[in-house]
Amino acid sequence: MNLQVFYRISFFAILSFLFVSCNASTIPEKAKPVENFDVNRYLGTWYEIARFDFYFERDLNNTTAYYSLDKKGNLKVLNRGFNVKTKEWKQAEGIAKFRAEKNVGALKVSFFGPFYSGYNIIALDSDYKYALIAGKDLDYLWILSREKGIPEAIKQQYLTLANEIGYDVSRLIWVEHDKEDTSVIKAK
């Protein structure tokens, strides 16, 4: 096999891998995104009540997500949290796009260029005060609230739903909200 054929095969293999990984499942099998979703009611600040631990939020508490719309109707995302080890606020800006209809809570989110992952609103109260978010698979789960806490009944309802989908809710980290972030810079 000559070098040019090898490079061509390698290029298409990498391209195929990227295509498959970018278009892989974006929601756990038993999860279903909410319908009749109103993005305008979802905008603003949400407090992270609980989450599964993963690299990008490791050692963070006081975590929030701020959502606003861009000119194309996509959600601009500003995630912030206080790193308990470095004693500094950390933030990440991203973009979330609807995967289909804008009245279904099925989105894809990216903080790293062209690489997107599932962001699925699978439970949302009628007042848009509490939300349960499923990631692309059973390794990503968040409970969000407009307040720094959540009523026990809503918490239990969300834990039950997550369990039914297949999440191991014992892995949840319950986030502390004991600091005021006065340096919030809204997403551009």
Side-chain angles (χ1 to χ4, degrees), residues 25-78:
S25 174
T26 55
I27 188 168
E29 183 179 337
K30 295 180 184 177
K32 184 178 186 301
V34 297
E35 296 180 356
N36 300 315
F37 178 70
D38 181 352
V39 70
N40 291 308
R41 294 184 67 199
Y42 197 75
L43 302 178
T45 300
W46 289 85
Y47 293 91
E48 188 178 80
I49 301 302
R51 69 167 184 269
F52 280 179
D53 191 27
F54 70 102
Y55 176 76
F56 297 108
E57 286 190 283
R58 187 144 305 134
D59 300 323
L60 297 183
N61 67 16
N62 295 280
T63 44
T64 59
Y66 178 81
Y67 300 98
S68 60
L69 288 178
D70 69 9
K71 292 177 183 175
K72 296 179 180 177
N74 297 315
L75 281 173
K76 294 189 292 184
V77 184
L78 177 65

Side-chain angles (χ1 to χ4, degrees), residues 141-174:
L141 183 69
W142 296 266
I143 298 175
L144 305 179
S145 172
R146 295 289 190 174
E147 305 159 349
K148 293 181 179 181
I150 190 168
E152 187 63 27
I154 301 288
K155 173 183 167 182
Q156 290 307 317
Q157 177 187 347
Y158 287 1
L159 293 175
T160 299
L161 176 58
N163 240 345
E164 290 170 356
I165 291 169
Y167 285 100
D168 175 3
V169 296
S170 69
R171 292 179 47 205
L172 283 168
I173 293 171
W174 297 92

Side-chain angles (χ1 to χ4, degrees), residues 129-146:
K129 288 179 69 173
Y130 312 106
L132 180 62
I133 312 300
K136 66 177 182 145
D137 58 32
L138 296 177
D139 288 326
Y140 301 94
L141 183 69
W142 296 266
I143 298 175
L144 305 179
S145 172
R146 295 289 190 174

Side-chain angles (χ1 to χ4, degrees), residues 55-131:
Y55 176 76
F56 297 108
E57 286 190 283
R58 187 144 305 134
D59 300 323
L60 297 183
N61 67 16
N62 295 280
T63 44
T64 59
Y66 178 81
Y67 300 98
S68 60
L69 288 178
D70 69 9
K71 292 177 183 175
K72 296 179 180 177
N74 297 315
L75 281 173
K76 294 189 292 184
V77 184
L78 177 65
N79 288 346
R80 290 185 56 82
F82 186 77
N83 187 303
V84 296
K85 290 188 176 176
T86 65
K87 307 293 184 206
E88 295 177 339
W89 289 96
K90 179 181 172 184
Q91 76 177 34
E93 291 184 45
I95 191 83
K97 298 179 179 182
F98 287 92
R99 291 197 321 264
E101 300 86 24
K102 290 191 176 193
N103 67 339
V104 177
L107 298 101
K108 58 183 183 177
V109 66
S110 175
F111 291 93
F112 310 102
F115 302 103
Y116 284 84
S117 188
Y119 180 97
N120 305 285
I121 304 159
I122 59 172
L124 182 65
D125 71 301
S126 61
D127 294 325
Y128 284 65
K129 288 179 69 173
Y130 312 106

